[in-house]
C-alpha cells in the first residue's frame, strides 16, 4: 500500500484536551478524530489496529466455543422493563421513542437483548451450555467522557453471555472466559492484573476484573506483597486486626463488677458538649479513634435482602418491580457500626444488603431514627432499625460511642454486653498497610484501569425475563447465566499507554496497522524500483507493507514513521543501493540501531523477524 493512497492525517500539534499519551498519539497519528464529546471516529490507521484486536478476540472466543452473533444496537425498551433495569440504568441509558411512541434504547450493554433472543430459542437442556458473543457499539451517556477513547460515550465492547443448567457448568465457562481474556491481553502485549471484583448489588457469585496499572485509573487495587491476592478496593477484605482494649483493667462484664456496677453503671454516660466528630472526641477524651465505635445511618434503595425479621422493618413497603423479578424494599434504613479509625466500604455494604443504591441518610432521618442530632448516634439502646456490625467491633470491650442524645456519649461500651447487631459482616474499606486475609502479609495499593470484567450473574436475568428449558426429566427449569465484557477502544488505548516513547507509538506486532514501513529516501529511480520490489516480496510472504511514497524530506518521513509506530522500518537510499553489495537499513521501532541488510535477503529477514515477534506474543 502506498502512503499517498491512504488517509492518514498525521499532526504535529496536540489537541488541548488530550492529557494522556494514548489520546495525544491516537490523534497525532491520525488513528481517530473527535466528532463531539465522547464520540470518536476511527480513521483507516486506527481501524486497522482495531480490526486486529477484534480478530484476536474472535480467535480466543472460538477457542472456548463462544459463538459470534450480531444483535441490534437499538433494542426495545420493553426488554429493559422486564429485567427491572429500565429504571435502574437512569440517565446513563440513551432512550428514544419511535414514530409509534415505542420506547427504544441504544444498548449500553446487552444482557437483556441477548437473553430475550435466547428465551425464544431455548427449549431443551440439550442446547446448554450456550455461549454467545458480539463485538458491537455501546452507548453510555457518561457524565464525564475523558482521556479520548478510554472513556467515551460510544465505544466498542466484546460482550459475551452464557447460559447453563447448573453452577458447575457456569463455573467452567467463567474460568475458560478468564483464561481467554488473559490470552487476549497477553497477545496485545499488555500486562494485566486480574483482581477480585464486586459482582454488583443484585447478587452473582463471582466477578473478576482485568486491570492495567495506570496513573489515571479510576480503580484502587489492593495487592499482597507476598501471595497472589489482588482485589478491587470495592471488594477487598483483610485480616480483621482486632485492636486490644484501650485501657486494660477497665470493667468488662457486669458480673465481674458486682455491686460497684450499680453505682458506676457500665457503660458510663459522659457529657461531651459541642463535640461531634471523631477528631473532636479524640481531643476531648485524649484517646485514639481506634477506641470509638462510629455509627452511621444509611438509606438504601431497592433492597433485595429479606428484612421481614429485622428490627423496625416489619411494616416496610415491599414490591416486585417485574413479574419474575425478586421482591424489593423501595426504601430501608440501616445503622452501620465500625471502629472509629476505619471507613465503611459502601460497595461492600450495598452488596451485603443487596441494595440498588445506598447513601448516608439525611440529617432529618438520622434525627428521627436515633432521637438525636447527627454526631450522637450509637448502637447502645438503638432500636427501630437493623444494626450492621463490622467484624472489628466484636473485639471492642471498652469503647466510646454516641449515647443517642445531644452532647452525650457513652464510654466503657462492650460489644455483646451492651449491644449486638442484626448482622455481623466485613464492611471496612481496606487500605495499604492492612494485612492480607490469605497469608497475613502487608497489602499495597495501585491505581488501575479496567479493561475487562467477567461475571457470574446467576438467575437475575433468566428469572425476571422468564427463560426456561426442559431438563432430562421433562421438568421446567431456569438456566443460570454469566456475562463477560472487554472494551476494545480502551484496550487499544492502553496498549499505546504501555508501548510508546517520546516519538510516538511502538506497536506490538500483533496490533500494528501494518507490519513494515518502507521509507525510500527519494521515491525515484533505483530507490523506487527497490522499494516496490521489496513491497511485493514482503506481501508475497504475507506481510502488510506501507510504502512512504510521498515527496517529502526524509526527516518528515522518519518522524511520521516513528509517530505511527509500525514495528519494522526499512530505509531505501541511493548510497546503500550503489554499494558493491546493495543494502537497505532495517530498524525495529523502539530499538536504537539501524542494521544494514543485503537487499536481496531483506524480505526473508523481515519475515523471520516478524514471525518471531508474533510467535512470542501469541505463545
Ligand atoms: P467503568 O467502571 O470504567 O465505567 P464499567 O465497569 O461500567 O466500566 P463494564 O460494564 O464492566 O464497564 O463494561 C465492560 C468493559 O467495557 C469495561 O471493562 C471497559 O473496558 C469497557 N467500557 C465501559 N465503559 C466504557 C467507556 N465509557 N468507554 C470505553 N470503554 C468502556
Ligand atoms: Mg465493570
Amino acid at each position: 500500500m502506498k502512503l499517498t493512497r491512504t488517509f492518514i492525517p498525521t499532526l504535529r500539534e496536540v489537541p488541548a484536551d488530550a492529557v494522556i499519551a494514548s489520546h495525544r498519539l491516537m490523534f497525532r497519528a491520525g488513528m481517530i478524530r473527535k466528532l463531539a464529546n465522547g464520540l470518536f471516529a476511527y480513521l483507516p490507521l486506527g481501524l486497522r489496529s482495531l480490526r486486529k484486536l477484534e480478530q484476536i478476540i474472535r480467535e480466543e472466543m472460538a477457542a472456548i466455543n463462544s459463538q459470534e452473533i450480531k444483535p441490534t444496537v437499538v433494542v426495545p425498551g420493553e426488554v429493559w422493563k422486564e429485567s427491572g433495569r429500565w429504571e435502574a440504568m437512569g440517565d446513563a441509558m440513551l432512550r428514544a421513542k419511535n414514530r409509534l411512541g415505542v420506547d427504544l434504547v441504544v444498548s449500553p450493554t446487552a444482557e437483556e437483548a441477548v437473553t430475550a433472543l435466547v428465551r425464544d430459542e431455548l427449549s431443551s437442556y440439550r442446547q446448554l451450555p450456550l455461549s454467545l458473543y458480539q463485538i458491537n457499539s455501546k452507548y453510555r451517556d457518561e457524565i464525564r467522557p475523558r482521556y479520548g477513547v478510554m472513556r467515551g460515550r460510544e465505544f466498542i465492547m466484546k460482550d459475551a453471555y452464557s447460559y447453563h443448567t447448573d453452577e458447575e457448568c457456569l463455573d467452567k465457562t467463567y474460568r475458560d472466559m478468564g483464561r481467554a481474556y488473559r490470552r487476549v491481553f497477553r497477545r496485545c502485549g499488555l500486562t494485566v492484573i486480574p483482581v477480585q471484583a464486586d459482582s454488583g448489588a443484585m447478587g452473582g457469585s463471582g466477578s473478576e476484573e482485568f486491570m492495567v496499572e495506570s496513573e489515571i485509573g479510576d480503580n484502587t487495587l489492593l495487592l499482597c506483597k507476598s501471595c497472589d491476592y489482588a482485589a478491587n478496593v470495592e471488594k477487598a477484605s483483610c485480616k480483621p486486626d482486632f485492636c486490644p482494649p484501650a485501657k486494660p483493667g477497665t470493667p468488662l462484664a457486669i458480673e465481674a463488677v458486682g455491686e460497684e456496677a450499680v453505682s458506676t453503671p457500665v457503660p458510663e454516660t459522659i457529657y461531651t458538649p459541642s463535640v461531634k466528630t471523631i477528631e473532636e472526641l479524640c481531643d476531648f477524651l485524649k484517646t485514639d479513634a481506634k477506641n470509638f465505635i462510629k455509627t452511621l445511618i444509611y438509606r438504601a434503595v431497592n433492597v433485595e435482602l429479606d428484612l421481614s425479621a429485622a428490627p423496625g422493618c416489619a411494616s416496610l413497603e415491599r414490591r416486585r418491580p417485574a413479574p419474575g423479578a425478586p421482591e424489593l424494599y423501595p426504601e430501608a434504613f440501616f445503622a452501620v457500626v465500625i471502629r472509629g479509625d476505619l471507613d465503611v466500604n459502601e460497595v461492600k455494604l450495598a452488596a451485603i444488603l443487596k441494595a440498588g443504591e445506598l447513601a448516608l441518610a439525611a440529617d432529618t432521618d438520622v434525627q428521627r431514627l436515633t432521637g438525636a442530632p447527627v454526631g450522637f448516634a450509637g448502637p447502645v439502646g438503638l432500636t427501630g432499625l437493623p444494626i450492621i456490625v463490622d467484624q472489628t467491633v466484636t473485639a471492642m470491650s471498652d469503647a466510646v460511642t454516641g449515647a443517642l442524645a445531644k452532647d452525650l456519649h457513652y464510654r466503657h461500651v462492650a460489644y455483646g454486653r451492651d449491644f449486638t447487631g442484626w448482622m455481623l459482616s466485613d464492611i471496612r474499606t481496606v487500605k495499604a498497610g492492612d494485612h492480607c486475609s490469605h497469608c497475613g502479609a502487608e497489602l499495597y495499593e495501585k491505581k488501575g484501569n479496567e479493561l475487562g470484567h467477567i461475571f457470574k450473574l446467576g438467575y437475575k436475568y433468566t428469572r425476571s425475563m422468564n427463560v426456561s428449558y426442559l431438563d432430562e426429566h421433562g421438568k421446567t427449569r431456569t438456566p443460570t447465566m454469566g456475562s463477560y465484557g472487554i472494551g476494545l477502544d480502551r484496550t487499544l488505548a492502553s496498549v499505546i499507554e504501555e508501548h510508546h516513547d517520546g516519538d510516538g507509538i511502538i506497536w506490538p506486532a500483533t496490533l500494528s496497522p501494518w507490519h513494515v514501513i518502507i521509507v525510500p529516501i527519494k521515491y525515484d529511480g533505483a530507490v523506487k524500483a527497490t522499494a516496490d520490489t521489496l513491497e511485493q516480496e514482503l506481501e508475497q510472504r504475507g506481510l502488510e507493507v506501507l510504502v512512504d511514497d510521498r515527496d517529502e524530506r526524509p526527516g518528515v518521513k522518519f518522524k511520521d514513521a516513528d509517530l505511527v509506530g509500525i514495528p519494522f522500518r526499512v530505509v531505501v537510499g541511493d548510497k546503500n543501493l550503489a554499494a558493491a553489495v546493495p543494502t537497505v537499513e532495517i530498524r525495529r521501532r523502539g530499538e536504537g540501531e539501524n542494521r544494514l541488510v543485503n537487499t536481496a535477503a531483506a524480505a526473508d529477514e523481515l519475515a523471520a523477524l516478524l514471525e518471531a515477534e508474533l510467535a512470542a506474543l501469541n505463545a
Side-chain angles (χ1 to χ4, degrees):
M1 171 74 81
K2 301 294 190 287
L3 210 153
T4 51
R5 313 289 295 274
T6 64
F7 177 50
I8 308 177
T10 55
L11 297 170
R12 290 285 165 262
E13 65 283 4
V14 178
D17 62 343
V19 293
I20 61 167
S22 59
H23 188 183
R24 282 196 296 269
L25 292 172
M26 287 176 93
F27 258 87
R28 286 192 50 215
M31 289 178 69
I32 55 166
R33 284 296 181 263
K34 176 167 150 181
L35 184 64
N37 209 6
L39 299 179
F40 297 92
Y42 279 82
L43 305 187
L45 189 85
L47 191 61
R48 285 182 74 100
S49 290
L50 190 69
R51 292 281 183 253
K52 294 203 170 172
L53 175 55
E54 289 177 1
Q55 183 55 28
I56 291 174
I57 293 174
R58 288 198 168 94
E59 287 169 15
E60 295 303 333
M61 289 300 105
I64 58 167
N65 201 22
S66 193
Q67 312 281 306
E68 185 167 10
I69 54 171
K70 165 64 184 75
T72 58
V73 172
V74 176
V75 303
E78 194 48 42
V79 293
W80 287 84
K81 290 175 192 167
E82 285 184 47
S83 74
R85 285 209 292 182
W86 174 257
E87 280 146 30
M89 291 301 288
D91 290 339
M93 190 153 81
L94 187 64
R95 301 151 207 250
K97 278 191 194 297
N98 73 4
R99 67 183 77 204
L100 300 173
V102 174
D103 283 318
L104 296 172
V105 162
V106 184
S107 293
T109 174
E111 281 78 6
E112 282 81 355
V114 176
T115 301
L117 185 87
V118 167
R119 173 176 57 192
D120 293 345
E121 302 308 318
L122 186 65
S123 54
S124 160
Y125 71 96
R126 289 193 197 86
Q127 293 163 284
L128 299 175
L130 177 63
S131 175
L132 301 172
Y133 80 95
Q134 64 173 325
I135 297 179
N136 217 340
S137 294
K138 301 283 177 291
Y139 186 92
R140 294 182 188 176
D141 213 34
E142 298 275 356
I143 296 171
R144 226 156 56 93
R146 62 202 157 121
Y147 306 133
V149 299
M150 281 280 189
R151 184 173 298 285
R153 289 196 166 126
E154 184 177 313
F155 59 97
I156 303 161
M157 207 202 284
K158 186 290 305 184
D159 42 329
Y161 306 92
S162 69
Y163 301 85
H164 310 266
T165 52
D166 55 45
E167 290 304 311
E168 212 173 64
C169 182
L170 170 60
D171 278 352
K172 182 183 179 304
T173 300
Y174 177 85
R175 280 195 305 270
D176 284 351
M177 212 42 98
R179 268 196 295 273
Y181 276 30
R182 278 166 232 246
R183 278 194 54 77
V184 166
F185 295 125
R186 195 170 64 229
R187 291 178 64 181
C188 293
L190 277 171
T191 317
V192 295
I193 310 170
V195 299
Q196 292 178 21
D198 168 51
S199 43
M202 297 306 184
S205 51
S207 159
E208 199 175 18
E209 288 166 332
F210 295 83
M211 298 281 183
V212 280
E213 191 177 350
S214 164
E215 273 176 26
I216 55 133
D218 304 316
N219 298 275
T220 302
L221 317 181
L222 272 305
L223 300 125
C224 178
K225 284 184 175 165
S226 166
C227 74
D228 58 5
Y229 178 79
N232 192 318
V233 68
E234 293 179 349
K235 172 81 179 174
S237 58
C238 64
K239 273 213 149 117
D241 69 339
F242 296 118
C243 286
K247 287 178 263 168
T250 44
L252 289 185
I254 299 272
E255 308 85 81
V257 182
E259 283 299 300
E260 250 181 281
V262 182
S263 54
T264 317
V266 175
E268 178 191 349
T269 307
I270 39 173
Y271 182 52
T272 51
S274 323
V275 172
K276 282 189 196 169
T277 66
I278 298 255
E279 293 72 36
E280 288 166 354
L281 262 173
C282 282
D283 282 350
F284 188 82
L285 298 174
K286 308 260 170 305
T287 179
D288 190 284
K290 284 188 169 161
N291 301 322
F292 291 96
I293 295 173
K294 183 156 74 175
T295 305
L296 300 161
I297 310 297
Y298 277 94
R299 175 180 177 269
V301 171
N302 293 338
V303 176
E304 208 183 302
L305 197 67
D306 182 2
L307 302 176
S308 50
C313 295
S315 58
L316 281 187
E317 185 201 339
R318 205 174 180 189
R319 64 180 159 89
R320 204 179 287 285
E327 280 192 303
L328 300 172
Y329 295 89
E331 182 183 64
F333 291 89
F334 299 89
V336 172
V337 296
I338 190 164
R339 212 172 65 206
D341 62 317
L342 303 177
D343 293 319
V344 171
N345 180 335
E346 294 183 358
V347 178
K348 278 205 252 181
L349 183 62
I352 291 160
L353 299 175
K354 298 191 178 183
E357 272 175 51
L358 189 82
L360 284 173
D363 291 2
T364 46
D365 287 322
V366 174
Q367 172 89 46
R368 176 174 57 82
L369 291 160
T370 66
V374 172
F376 300 98
V380 181
L382 183 61
T383 52
L385 77 172
I387 302 177
I388 316 290
V389 179
D390 181 65
Q391 55 186 3
T392 48
V393 170
T394 60
M396 300 180 77
S397 54
D398 187 13
V400 176
T401 187
L404 302 177
K406 188 169 182 320
D407 294 342
L408 294 182
H409 280 82
Y410 286 131
R411 68 172 154 205
H412 309 316
V413 173
Y415 174 81
R417 182 193 64 197
D418 302 320
F419 73 97
T420 55
W422 177 65
M423 185 195 267
L424 183 65
S425 196
D426 162 25
I427 44 176
R428 77 195 270 184
T429 301
V430 176
K431 293 195 280 277
D434 287 339
H435 294 97
C436 177
S437 53
H438 291 196
C439 75
E442 257 192 34
L443 298 171
Y444 65 102
E445 289 183 7
K446 276 186 176 176
K447 286 272 164 228
N449 214 354
E450 177 196 323
L451 303 187
H453 198 166
I454 61 176
F455 268 105
K456 290 192 235 174
L457 291 173
Y459 298 92
K460 172 173 161 57
Y461 298 90
T462 48
R463 272 203 190 122
S464 59
M465 295 183 69
N466 270 320
V467 186
S468 67
Y469 65 93
L470 293 180
D471 71 9
E472 58 269 56
H473 309 296
K475 218 173 154 232
T476 303
R477 299 225 174 253
T478 306
T480 181
M481 180 179 173
S483 105
Y484 320 89
I486 294 183
L488 275 77
D489 319 72
R490 198 180 281 180
T491 298
L492 214 51
S494 300
V495 171
I496 297 173
E497 288 293 324
E498 195 169 325
H499 299 278
H500 73 272
D501 62 14
D503 298 321
I505 303 167
I506 307 174
W507 283 112
T510 41
L511 292 177
S512 178
W514 280 273
H515 299 130
V516 178
I517 182 163
I518 299 176
V519 183
I521 295 293
K522 192 165 174 15
Y523 191 59
D524 206 358
V527 170
K528 176 174 188 287
T530 305
D532 289 348
T533 308
L534 185 57
E535 179 189 17
Q536 274 174 23
E537 288 174 348
L538 288 167
E539 283 178 350
Q540 276 160 12
R541 286 163 177 76
L543 279 75
E544 298 161 358
V545 189
L546 189 62
V547 182
D548 192 346
D549 59 338
R550 293 176 301 171
D551 186 16
E552 287 283 3
R553 282 178 295 115
V556 172
K557 295 185 182 184
F558 293 152
K559 267 207 153 24
D560 276 343
D562 281 351
L563 177 61
V564 302
I566 294 168
F568 298 102
R569 187 187 78 182
V570 185
V571 179
V572 186
D574 267 334
K575 265 193 220 140
N576 288 334
L577 289 185
V581 180
T583 54
V584 292
E585 276 176 22
I586 294 182
R587 196 183 74 162
R588 172 64 172 100
R589 173 74 180 93
E591 287 167 16
E593 289 304 292
N594 288 325
R595 230 156 27 86
L596 285 178
V597 174
N598 194 331
T599 308
D604 281 336
E605 167 106 27
L606 284 161
L609 287 170
L610 177 69
E611 199 181 302
E613 281 200 20
L614 289 174
L617 284 162
N618 292 330

